[in-house]
Amino acid sequence: MAQYTIHTSQLFDPKQKRVLQDTSIIVDRQTGNIVQVFQRSSDEGIASSPSEDVLDLRGQFVMPGFVDAHTHIFLHSYDERPSLQQKRDESVVERIVRAVNHCRVALLAGYTTYRDLGSESLGSMDANMRDAISRGLIPGPRLFVATKVLASTGSYESRTENACNGVCLPQGSEPVDGPSEAQKAVRRRIAEGADIIKFFADYRRRIMRWPPAQQHPYVHSVTHPPEEPNPDVLLFHQEEMDMIVKEAKLAKCPVACHAGTIEGALGAVKAGVNTIEHGYFADEELFQLMKEKGTIFVPTLAVCENLHKKRFPEILKQVKLAHTIGVRLACGGDTGTYPHGDNVRELELMIEAGIPIEDVLESCTVGGWESCGKQQCGVKFGWFEEGCRADIIALGGNPLQDIKALRNVQFVMKDSRVWKLNGEAVAMV
Ligand SMILES: [Zn+2]
């Protein structure tokens, strides 16, 4: 059986943003690629001659596998344990075992690709996880990984008020100061297996004290302690960001930038990053520039819903504005801060923001591939065409009519291998 023939009656084509009727796909089981997509003239004989190399998905809603453009395989829900405690208290073995589970549930939820943006104190072990999956040792999405994120000294790192006692905490980022260190850090990341460079344009730089204590900069007023005791501030000068992007381009490696502030995002977009992550604060000027430069926006609504409750209605409006202006969107929830397997929450929130579901499905497939660097990532996935990876899922209902169907994943194929059939996991023993 060198091939599978997959028959569908409703096939969502994200490039045309419409459903194709009576279409069949032939996939090569050796290469894992799609070899042919064609419209059937007749259904005669399909039901009456079942065969092991024919998959009959008629009656289901078939589409390319989902791409989560912002994940952390080594994190589990912050509701279970805050990030600092995960990094500080959980053993490397526990974190890896959890990641194995995370990858399995993500695949069964229809996610065939993860863009994993930072190993959260596990060095370049995300690259090792990627290789373990691609070598067939464990089931999981295809991973594109960032290894350690880049940030300036004293910023994206675990800190403690007990530092004077020499308390040692695991390193969360690679500290980079000045253009020459930025250049070296990018080279080091790529050598350690990064598919993507991720850096932080801004972050909270003060220690995260709780309850909020007086610490500059804070707004002195009768309402002390201030509502926002530790606001995001810039981590890098423009020339440092410029160098990160310039060096990554030399290696044909895409760059993702965490930006919470408008000024941080503007600097990163000017430097030429591929994607802006979060954009908790954004405005029309920023979105216009992103559209002009083709920068992809990954709004991570699912994490905002949890961590930015107060501003969430405003954040939804911002995303709608980005869509209206024509900014390229990709769907990534910052998954891991909430449970893997619940990734589709990001799609639901984008729909809630007012973005048409056809556009959301396109952002979660083709947009995901673009956020991985398009051709630079080495493979094609996210739509149906000869030469694309055979990443195919089927939903038990039509999400264009009822978005609950996004959670009703009946069939999952990745690289031409079937992992879920009739709603049940297969080949996972
Ligand atoms: Zn993240």
Side-chain angles (χ1 to χ4, degrees):
M1 291 188 300
Q3 294 183 328
Y4 274 128
T5 303
I6 303 164
H7 297 303
T8 74
S9 53
Q10 299 180 91
L11 182 76
F12 182 72
D13 177 346
K15 292 219 162 174
Q16 298 185 61
K17 295 183 190 168
R18 70 182 186 95
V19 175
L20 308 177
Q21 311 293 324
D22 304 329
T23 302
S24 297
I25 306 165
I26 298 177
V27 307
D28 186 315
R29 298 179 64 182
Q30 302 299 321
T31 64
N33 280 343
I34 292 172
V35 290
Q36 200 187 346
V37 183
F38 63 97
Q39 195 161 24
R40 291 187 308 278
S41 51
S42 144
D43 273 8
E44 219 174 291
I46 294 177
S48 59
S49 53
S51 146
E52 272 190 14
D53 51 6
V54 172
L55 295 161
D56 187 0
L57 300 180
R58 290 175 306 159
Q60 300 181 43
F61 186 91
V62 181
M63 59 174 289
F66 296 129
V67 179
D68 193 326
H70 189 136
T71 66
H72 298 281
I73 52 166
F74 292 125
L75 288 180
H76 58 98
S77 174
Y78 287 178
D79 290 343
E80 294 169 359
R81 195 173 287 161
S83 120
L84 172 64
Q85 287 170 28
Q86 293 188 35
K87 292 187 253 191
R88 187 188 62 196
D89 302 336
E90 291 176 1
S91 70
V92 171
V93 173
E94 175 176 344
R95 298 192 71 193
I96 289 173
V97 170
R98 283 180 182 276
V100 170
N101 293 339
H102 297 157
C103 289
R104 187 180 61 241
V105 296
L107 184 62
L108 292 174
Y111 279 78
T112 48
T113 301
Y114 257 26
R115 193 174 66 125
D116 207 66
L117 294 184
S119 63
E120 300 288 332
S121 301
L122 283 185
S124 53
M125 292 185 202
D126 48 356
N128 304 136
M129 285 290 292
R130 171 198 63 202
D131 299 342
I133 291 170
S134 61
R135 288 169 190 161
L137 301 179
I138 53 165
R142 175 182 305 107
L143 300 185
F144 292 94
V145 304
T147 69
K148 284 184 192 169
V149 298
L150 309 185
S152 54
T153 289
S155 54
Y156 189 71
E157 60 185 41
S158 302
R159 281 156 287 166
T160 167
E161 290 180 44
N162 207 13
C164 66
N165 280 330
V167 172
C168 178
L169 293 168
Q171 196 188 39
S173 61
E174 177 156 352
V176 170
D177 302 296
S180 90
E181 283 188 24
Q183 185 173 39
K184 198 167 184 175
V186 170
R187 291 178 180 180
R188 174 54 52 204
R189 288 305 97 226
I190 289 167
E192 287 193 12
D195 304 296
I196 293 165
I197 299 299
K198 156 115 177 261
F199 76 90
F200 277 63
D202 48 38
Y203 203 65
R204 306 177 287 266
R205 282 170 67 174
R206 305 290 170 169
I207 200 166
M208 283 183 272
R209 296 171 195 275
W210 191 260
Q214 176 179 337
Q215 175 154 23
H216 183 79
Y218 90 106
V219 183
H220 187 61
S221 78
V222 288
T223 60
H224 177 79
E227 263 188 33
E228 182 66 74
N230 194 357
D232 286 343
V233 289
L234 290 179
L235 303 194
F236 285 120
H237 297 285
Q238 188 65 45
E239 55 267 32
E240 293 171 301
M241 290 195 268
D242 290 346
M243 180 53 86
I244 289 171
V245 177
K246 191 176 167 193
E247 186 59 37
K249 279 202 173 136
L250 207 60
K252 301 197 188 315
C253 185
V255 180
C257 172
H258 166 115
T261 67
I262 293 175
E263 51 182 349
L266 278 172
V269 173
K270 283 176 191 157
V273 299
N274 299 70
T275 66
I276 291 289
E277 312 296 314
H278 313 302
Y280 307 129
F281 289 89
D283 63 7
E284 197 169 336
E285 185 202 347
L286 170 64
F287 289 143
Q288 290 292 359
L289 185 68
M290 287 174 75
K291 179 173 165 23
E292 207 178 292
K293 300 210 39 156
T295 317
I296 301 169
F297 184 30
V298 187
T300 65
L301 292 174
V303 71
C304 293
E305 177 184 39
N306 293 321
L307 299 186
H308 295 267
K309 281 195 182 76
K310 245 192 267 172
R311 284 197 65 249
F312 194 58
E314 208 177 313
I315 287 172
L316 287 178
K317 277 187 208 149
Q318 282 176 187
V319 175
K320 172 71 177 155
L321 175 66
H323 175 263
T324 306
I325 288 174
V327 176
R328 184 57 167 128
L329 294 170
C331 296
D334 213 350
T335 314
T337 66
Y338 66 102
H340 293 272
D342 196 22
N343 315 58
V344 97
R345 184 71 191 136
E346 183 67 16
L347 280 69
E348 292 168 347
L349 291 170
M350 283 174 89
I351 294 163
E352 195 179 315
I355 300 169
I357 183 167
E358 292 85 349
D359 289 356
V360 173
L361 294 182
E362 193 270 349
S363 300
C364 192
T365 51
V366 184
W369 176 73
E370 291 185 9
S371 72
C372 292
K374 301 184 185 174
Q375 289 86 353
Q376 283 183 353
C377 78
V379 282
K380 290 195 288 182
F381 54 87
W383 69 99
F384 298 114
E385 187 184 276
E386 184 188 343
C388 282
R389 301 305 289 164
D391 297 348
I392 301 169
I393 63 170
L395 310 176
N398 183 340
L400 306 181
Q401 287 158 8
D402 179 3
I403 66 163
K404 285 199 200 82
L406 295 170
R407 290 179 182 267
N408 181 7
V409 177
Q410 291 290 309
F411 172 86
V412 177
M413 170 182 276
K414 179 191 149 220
D415 293 325
S416 83
R417 184 164 172 185
V418 179
W419 291 102
K420 194 175 194 181
L421 190 61
N422 302 320
E424 300 285 334
V426 292
M428 293 188 188
V429 283

